[in-house]
Amino acid sequence: MADVVDKATRSRMMSGIRAKDTYPETFVRKGLHAQGFRYRLHVKGLPGSPDIVLPKYGALISIMGCFWHGHDCRYFKVPATRTDFWLKKIEENRARDARNLASLQAQGWRTLVVWECAIRAGGKVKPSLDVIALISEWLRSGAISAEVNENGMLEG
């Protein structure tokens, strides 16, 4: 199946997708800051440059887009065009994510993955959960790893 837009339009659309300072990331950062948490952003010396690093808690938070990281939720759909390309790309992203998280945990870091779907509700950018409360609770708990998705917290 051919793409529904021409190559130049697709290129312009894809170049507008950011890797940093996305809405889910800024939502979490503002919420944590309002709760009194202080953090560093995108620490380059750590595997995968985690989105949020909280040295005081020995914790890292990665905010993952459901499409780009192949999350099994209602917001992920395999594209109808260039399916093989996208499946390969997403699988590579997932493998890299797993390597980075394992490496970070081996270095003694606690890891939390916050999925985009936890911050969206019914296609609107409005959390259906109190995501910041879940993150705060996890930070104070001392748990080694967890995920937050649209259904809540999953400790890992």
Side-chain angles (χ1 to χ4, degrees), residues 34 53 75-76 87 96 127 130:
V53 179
Y75 297 112
F76 175 69
L87 289 174
R96 185 182 60 246
D130 190 347

Side-chain angles (χ1 to χ4, degrees), residues 122-142:
K124 297 178 183 156
V125 186
K126 179 182 177 207
S128 57
L129 305 166
D130 190 347
V131 176
I132 302 306
L134 290 172
I135 296 170
S136 299
E137 181 182 317
W138 178 80
L139 285 168
R140 292 185 175 107
S141 76

Side-chain angles (χ1 to χ4, degrees), residues 42-74:
H42 310 290
V43 176
K44 297 207 185 318
L46 295 172
S49 299
D51 298 312
I52 299 172
V53 179
L54 297 107
K56 177 179 176 179
Y57 296 89
L60 308 164
I61 301 171
S62 294
I63 295 125
M64 306 264 192
C66 295
F67 173 76
W68 297 103
H69 299 273
H71 189 228
D72 184 21
C73 73
R74 61 185 162 147

Side-chain angles (χ1 to χ4, degrees), residues 24-116:
E25 189 178 320
T26 57
F27 174 85
V28 170
R29 289 185 343 215
K30 286 177 183 179
L32 288 176
H33 193 271
Q35 294 286 317
F37 291 99
R38 298 301 177 255
Y39 47 80
R40 295 176 56 205
L41 301 176
H42 310 290
V43 176
K44 297 207 185 318
L46 295 172
S49 299
D51 298 312
I52 299 172
V53 179
L54 297 107
K56 177 179 176 179
Y57 296 89
L60 308 164
I61 301 171
S62 294
I63 295 125
M64 306 264 192
C66 295
F67 173 76
W68 297 103
H69 299 273
H71 189 228
D72 184 21
C73 73
R74 61 185 162 147
Y75 297 112
F76 175 69
K77 182 180 138 195
V78 177
T81 59
R82 301 183 66 204
T83 303
D84 292 338
F85 166 83
W86 284 111
L87 289 174
K88 182 176 183 263
K89 169 100 176 128
I90 291 164
E91 188 52 43
E92 288 169 355
N93 289 347
R94 293 173 96 177
R96 185 182 60 246
D97 295 339
R99 279 193 314 272
N100 288 340
L101 287 174
S103 179
L104 291 163
Q105 287 174 357
Q107 292 178 29
W109 289 98
R110 299 168 53 221
T111 58
L112 178 68
V113 173
V114 177
W115 289 99
E116 172 189 11

